[in-house]
Amino acid sequence: MRSSKIWLARIEVSLAFLSGSLGVLTIFWRDWIEALTGWSPDHHSGSVEFSLIAVLLITSVSCAVVARRTYRRLVALSG
């Protein structure tokens, strides 16, 4: 049981880091979606990128909060 919660916490931290990194990447390089896929959903207006920044950073903070709660539960169970 404890090992599955450790893996869950690690996945949550990884998701927080990945979404936060993509959010920061999008702040500094807004055309990475077009460069990576060749697809321009907003025809270079930037509206999708601004929405993506908000979604990624909110996801990052949410995953970090959930990971912290999971780690606190693990510490409470072990001690």
Side-chain angles (χ1 to χ4, degrees):
M1 174 87 170
R2 186 169 187 258
S3 65
S4 65
K5 288 195 183 272
I6 290 172
W7 278 105
L8 178 64
R10 288 180 182 168
I11 290 170
E12 292 164 350
V13 169
S14 299
L15 287 174
F17 179 76
L18 179 65
S19 61
S21 298
L22 286 175
V24 171
L25 175 72
T26 307
I27 290 171
F28 293 111
W29 184 29
R30 293 196 179 109
D31 292 334
W32 70 268
I33 297 171
E34 287 88 356
L36 186 65
T37 64
W39 180 56
S40 179
D42 57 0
H43 304 290
H44 301 288
S45 74
S47 61
V48 170
E49 286 82 1
F50 285 119
S51 301
L52 185 64
I53 290 169
V55 168
L56 286 170
L57 294 180
I58 289 170
T59 302
S60 178
V61 170
S62 300
C63 288
V65 168
V66 171
R68 181 177 175 172
R69 184 175 40 179
T70 303
Y71 274 122
R72 284 185 173 213
R73 286 182 185 169
L74 283 171
V75 169
L77 287 175
S78 68

